[in-house]
Amino acid sequence: GGKDGKGELPSSFWDSYSAFANTNGGVIILGVKELNKTNTFEVAGIQRIHQVKNDIFKIANNPNKVNSNLLTDSHIHEWQVEGKTVLLVVIPRASRKQQPIYLNNNPLGNTFIRQHEGDFRLPDEQVKRLLAEQIKDSLDSDILSKFDLVDVDSSSLQGYRQRFTNFNPTSIWNDEDNKGFLTKIGGYAKNRDTGEEGLTKAGLLMFGQQEAIYEIFPEY
């Protein structure tokens, strides 16, 4: 409700934003209050609903406060309850490449996860692990536009496909041609914006011919 009771975005909102995004997503409801910590709630409503919405997007798009904005208009809903307006903010789960979602321009000490009913700071070592995985995933998915199926070692790919079929005999991926199969598993990709396509770095490392691998990874 804020100091005047007409509506204000609480500072703890962003701890929960980070926590939900780094865990399984969630919904934050603004405009209700708990009665004496009894898990019983009553509707207070928000009078300055538009101001609170504006504050959410203003701060979510401020990189000095939040490293990544996951919210769009479709994530925020006004809800009429008992003649009063409350605000539902749906926080989506961040993808592995987007995590960690952190605050105040520093992931260490400002990254949260959700456990039961609380938001808890993630230990620095776990934050560093998330950052390392984020970089690794990004590099793996890089498209090598001048590398295609001629750079693939056919025996390596066919051996992998046979093992995949043995473990997943009913998968529809088994009906794909080699290019389609590689696309499904992230070994081949196309950038829809530029039209660029080719093996990914992960695809080259997994299935590439040795001389082709050396061109990109000379110390391989």
Side-chain angles (χ1 to χ4, degrees):
K3 293 180 179 179
D4 59 8
K6 294 184 178 180
E8 182 178 312
L9 188 65
S11 58
S12 60
F13 176 93
W14 297 106
D15 293 358
S16 295
Y17 170 87
S18 168
F20 283 138
N22 290 322
T23 313
N24 293 312
V27 178
I28 298 174
I29 303 177
L30 303 175
V32 299
K33 64 181 180 180
E34 186 176 9
L35 300 178
N36 300 319
K37 296 183 179 181
T38 59
N39 286 324
T40 303
F41 297 85
E42 71 174 12
V43 179
I46 301 174
Q47 294 183 38
R48 284 197 297 259
I49 196 79
H50 296 295
Q51 181 62 50
V52 173
K53 280 185 175 180
N54 287 337
D55 288 345
I56 289 173
F57 283 112
K58 182 179 179 180
I59 298 174
N61 287 289
N62 179 358
N64 290 321
K65 179 60 181 179
V66 183
N67 71 309
S68 181
N69 175 26
L70 304 176
L71 301 176
T72 66
D73 287 336
S74 65
H75 292 111
I76 299 182
H77 309 274
E78 294 183 28
W79 193 18
Q80 299 298 317
V81 183
E82 298 176 3
K84 300 176 181 178
T85 303
V86 299
L87 204 60
L88 277 68
V89 185
V90 180
I91 312 297
R93 179 180 181 175
S95 69
R96 185 178 176 188
K97 292 181 181 180
Q98 293 171 318
Q99 292 182 7
I101 300 299
Y102 57 86
L103 311 177
N104 303 325
N105 214 21
N106 183 0
L108 301 182
N110 296 289
T111 299
F112 294 81
I113 58 170
R114 188 76 175 182
Q115 293 181 331
H116 192 46
E117 296 181 351
D119 303 323
F120 299 93
R121 281 184 171 83
L122 195 64
D124 288 351
E125 286 305 312
Q126 293 186 42
V127 174
K128 291 175 183 178
R129 190 176 303 120
L130 284 174
L131 291 168
E133 290 175 352
Q134 183 185 66
I135 295 171
K136 177 180 178 296
D137 282 357
S138 176
L139 292 174
D140 283 351
S141 61
D142 284 351
I143 297 173
L144 304 171
S145 59
K146 297 181 180 180
F147 290 76
D148 54 28
L149 295 184
V150 300
D151 297 298
V152 171
D153 180 83
S154 59
S155 61
S156 294
L157 178 57
Q158 293 309 314
Y160 181 87
R161 294 202 65 169
Q162 184 60 58
R163 294 188 66 182
F164 182 90
T165 300
N166 292 343
F167 282 103
N168 305 275
T170 61
S171 173
I172 60 174
W173 293 5
N174 295 325
D175 297 327
E176 296 278 355
D177 60 17
N178 284 339
K179 181 178 177 180
F181 181 80
L182 284 170
T183 301
K184 295 293 187 185
I185 65 172
Y188 192 97
K190 180 177 181 178
N191 185 313
R192 293 183 182 274
D193 294 326
T194 65
E196 176 187 43
E197 64 178 272
L199 292 176
T200 62
K201 286 184 176 179
L204 180 66
L205 283 169
M206 187 73 178
F207 303 111
Q209 297 186 43
Q210 191 172 33
E211 60 272 18
I213 295 174
Y214 282 146
E215 290 184 46
I216 301 299
F217 304 98
E219 298 181 2
Y220 175 77

